[in-house]
Amino acid sequence: MRKPERICPIGPRHASPGSFAAEEFEALCDAYGNRCLACGDTEAALEADHVVPLTKGGSDDISNIQPLCASCNRKKFVNIIDYRVSTDVLS
């Protein structure tokens, strides 16, 4: 009898600390008026951007997340840019 192939479980792509739920990201977006913090677009779909990128030691905790549109998220790339500093929503 042939053994079935082993399938690798889908898991985290990295070993960064922290995590956030979709509901937390939605609440964060609501708190910022559902706009991209970089360009202010209110029509574009928002993505969870890591203020401090995972590759530079950042965490997946909601406190390291900011809502950006896809275009601004790609432009930011792996730079550490905190667009939240220009708003007082969560302070």
Side-chain angles (χ1 to χ4, degrees), residues 32-73:
Y32 286 114
N34 291 300
R35 65 181 176 87
C36 172
L37 294 187
C39 71
D41 190 342
T42 57
E43 298 298 318
L46 297 173
E47 298 180 352
D49 170 67
H50 293 84
V51 176
V52 178
L54 300 176
T55 58
K56 293 190 175 183
S59 77
D60 261 335
D61 191 78
I62 193 69
S63 64
N64 188 42
I65 301 297
Q66 61 188 348
L68 298 184
C69 68
S71 177
C72 289
N73 197 0

Side-chain angles (χ1 to χ4, degrees), residues 9-19 54 60:
I10 297 174
R13 295 175 293 165
H14 48 78
S16 300
S19 66
L54 300 176
D60 261 335

Side-chain angles (χ1 to χ4, degrees), residues 1 4 7 15 24 31 34 36 75 77 79-80 84 86 89-90:
M1 182 174 180
I7 299 174
E24 289 178 289
N34 291 300
C36 172
K75 287 176 191 170
F77 194 50
N79 297 305
I80 299 173
R84 302 169 303 173
S86 61
V89 174
L90 298 178

